[in-house]
Amino acid sequence: MIISQAFCCFFYDKVIFCRRYNKAGGIIILLLFLSENIRSMKKILNNLLHRLKEDSLNKRVGNSTREVEYKEKREIKTCLVFWSADTDQNKWFRKLESDFAGVKMDKLCFIPDGIEMLETDWVAVRNADLGFGGKIRNGRLIAMLGCKYDLFIDLNKETTALIKFVLQHTQASCIVGMKKEGGVADIVIDEVTEPFGLVNKLNVILSGINKY
C-alpha cells in the first residue's frame, strides 16, 4: 500500500512537471512564431515602402539635357565608372585602370541591401539613399551627376529605378554599357553579360570610335 501511494505521488509530480513544461514550451514556441512573423511583416512593409519610393523616383526620370558626344579613346580625359558591388570587381578594375591609364577616373558603386562595404576612393549609393517623394539623400552622388565626364561606363547587369535615375541624370558626354532591359546607353556592347566581358571589349571599341 505504501509503495502504491509513493508511486502515485511520483506519477502525479511528473504529470504536473510535464504540464508546466509544456505550457512554458508552448509560450516559447508562440513567442518565436510571433517574432518570426513580425520580422516577415517588417520586411514586407520595408519592401512596400521602397516600391513607393521607386514609383516616386520613376516620375522624376526624364530625358537628360546632356549633349551626346562620341570621343575617341585618346580624347578621353575624364571618366565615371558605375557598377554594382560584386566579388570579381578587383579583377576587372585592374584591367580597366590599366587600359585607361592617365584618365581621371571617378568611381560610383551601387551596394545592394545586405552587403556591407567600406568606401575608399569611390562613392557608394544604396537603396537607403532614396527618400520619400523620390528624393535622393546622397550629396556626393548629386555632385557626381552634375560633373561633365567624357565617358560614363555602366557595368551594371540590371537596371533598378535608382540605377536608371543615375544614368538619365548624368551630364557625361557618352554612356557605354551592356545590352539589358531598361538600359540607358549611347553605345551598347552586345554579347556581354558580365562587367569583365564589357571591359575586355571596351578598349577596342573606343579606339575605333571614329568609324561610327
Side-chain angles (χ1 to χ4, degrees), residues 171-190:
Q171 295 301 308
S173 297
C174 180
I175 301 174
V176 59
M178 63 186 75
K179 187 176 182 179
K180 58 187 174 181
E181 184 178 352
V184 179
D186 304 307
I187 300 176
V188 178
I189 300 180
D190 288 325

Side-chain angles (χ1 to χ4, degrees), residues 7 9 11 23 28 56 62 74 77 84 88 90-91 99 128 130 133 161 167 197 206 212:
F7 176 78
C9 290
F11 179 75
K23 185 178 180 181
I28 292 172
S56 298
R74 59 185 175 85
K77 305 300 180 185
S84 295
D88 295 326
N90 290 332
K91 180 181 177 182
D99 290 346
L130 180 56
L167 294 171
L206 293 178
Y212 286 84

Side-chain angles (χ1 to χ4, degrees), residues 41-98:
M41 287 299 297
K42 185 177 179 181
K43 185 177 180 179
I44 291 172
L45 288 174
N46 286 338
N47 288 338
L48 179 60
L49 287 175
H50 183 68
R51 288 289 183 87
L52 292 174
K53 292 176 183 178
E54 284 189 327
D55 288 343
S56 298
L57 185 65
N58 283 329
K59 293 177 182 178
R60 294 183 57 191
V61 173
N63 294 326
S64 174
T65 56
R66 68 187 180 91
E67 295 182 7
V68 178
E69 182 181 358
Y70 301 95
K71 294 186 178 182
E72 194 177 350
K73 185 186 173 185
R74 59 185 175 85
E75 298 176 321
I76 296 173
K77 305 300 180 185
T78 58
C79 172
L80 176 60
V81 183
F82 186 27
W83 80 100
S84 295
D86 64 69
T87 55
D88 295 326
Q89 62 191 43
N90 290 332
K91 180 181 177 182
W92 55 257
F93 244 129
R94 286 193 295 269
K95 178 167 177 53
L96 192 63
E97 289 176 331
S98 174

Side-chain angles (χ1 to χ4, degrees), residues 6 39 119 167 183:
R39 283 195 293 267
E119 296 180 44
L167 294 171

Side-chain angles (χ1 to χ4, degrees), residues 197-208:
L198 189 147
V199 171
N200 271 333
K201 288 191 172 185
L202 191 57
N203 191 37
V204 175
I205 289 175
L206 293 178
S207 296

